[in-house]
Each structure stands twice: as structure tokens, then as C-alpha cells.
């Protein structure tokens, strides 16, 4: 029974990884995908790829250091007139891994990345490390 449970857990994790990779690929390879890049406060760079047709966005960091202990990088959609809307957490163990933003892009005009307490916050509690405007046209 133990072996079956372990194997089933591994299969479920493999399905989650495959689904995440497929979702990332759909955005990155979308015919309407547009990107913009900028410097991150810690010296790295960040690129956002947005597909309005798919209503999704991906943040691709490079050179980001791991967040401080007990903290996490949180992604935000910038909604005009409404402020920042939570868009998911980055994996603290893999700060350079591409991150599919949680939820629809909707009317957002860009994204931000902040350092938040583990588990995230309903609203930003720190200044953004980077804010990237979505490219137009």
C-alpha cells in the first residue's frame, strides 16, 4: 500500500509539472505574445511576456537572489485606478524560474514584484523590486 501511495503521489506531481509547463509554453509561444524587460532592484533582470488572446502572463527573472528567510517574492497585476492585484507567489527555492501569473490579465497594464511574508499578502507591504508595463501593440 505504501508503494502505491508513493507512486500515486509521484504521478500527481508529474501531472502538475506537465500542466505548468504546458501553460507556460502556451503563453510564451502565443502568436500575440509581447514582452518587455527591466532591471530588478537586487541587480537581476525581469521580463514579462503577455498574451492578451490567452489572457495570461509569465514573469521570467534572471539573476534574482533567493528571498530572505521567511519571505517570498509575490507577483502583482497593476490595474489602472485599482492598484495592485495578487498574481501569485514565486518559488523561493527557485528565484530564477519562470512564473505563470495566477489569474487573468484582464485590464491590467503591467506587473510588479515585491518581497512579502511567507504565504504572501493581500496587498503589497513593501516597495516593488520591479514594475514592468505590458507592451502595447
Amino acid at each position: 500500500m505504501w508503494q502505491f501511495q508513493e507512486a500515486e503521489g509521484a504521478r500527481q506531481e508529474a501531472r502538475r509539472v506537465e500542466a505548468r509547463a504546458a501553460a507556460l509554453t502556451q503563453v510564451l509561444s502565443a502568436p500575440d505574445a509581447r514582452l518587455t524587460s527591466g532591471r530588478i532592484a537586487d541587480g537581476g533582470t525581469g521580463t514579462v511576456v503577455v498574451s492578451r488572446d490567452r489572457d495570461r502572463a509569465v514573469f521570467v527573472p534572471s539573476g534574482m537572489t533567493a528571498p530572505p528567510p521567511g519571505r517570498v517574492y509575490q507577483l502583482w497585476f497593476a490595474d489602472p485606478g485599482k492598484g495592485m492585484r495578487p498574481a501569485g507567489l514565486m518559488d523561493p527555492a527557485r528565484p530564477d524560474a519562470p512564473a505563470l501569473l495566477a489569474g487573468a490579465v484582464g485590464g491590467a497594464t503591467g506587473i510588479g514584484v515585491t518581497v512579502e511574508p511567507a504565504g504572501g499578502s493581500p496587498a503589497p507591504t513593501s516597495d516593488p523590486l520591479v514594475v514592468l508595463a505590458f507592451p502595447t501593440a
Side-chain angles (χ1 to χ4, degrees):
M1 183 62 137
W2 172 82
Q3 288 177 333
F4 173 79
Q5 289 173 337
E6 288 294 309
E8 183 58 29
R11 281 190 292 275
Q12 288 176 357
E13 178 61 20
R15 283 191 290 270
R16 277 192 294 274
V17 169
E18 287 174 2
R20 178 183 176 277
L24 285 167
T25 300
Q26 286 178 353
V27 175
L28 297 174
S29 65
D32 73 320
R34 301 291 179 266
L35 63 94
T36 190
S37 298
R39 300 292 296 161
I40 299 172
D42 71 357
T45 59
T47 299
V48 63
V49 180
V50 63
S51 167
R52 293 286 182 179
D53 288 347
R54 300 206 188 287
D55 205 19
R56 301 300 304 264
V58 173
F59 178 66
V60 183
S62 177
M64 283 186 81
T65 59
R71 309 288 280 178
V72 66
Y73 293 124
Q74 187 163 353
L75 301 161
W76 305 91
F77 284 114
D79 288 324
K82 298 178 184 176
M84 301 296 254
R85 168 173 47 105
L89 305 175
M90 295 174 61
D91 182 347
R94 299 177 55 220
D96 270 351
L100 179 68
L101 277 72
V105 170
T109 58
I111 68 154
V113 180
T114 61
V115 178
E116 301 297 334
S121 300
T125 63
S126 66
D127 291 334
L129 299 173
V130 65
V131 176
L132 298 170
F134 289 150
T136 56

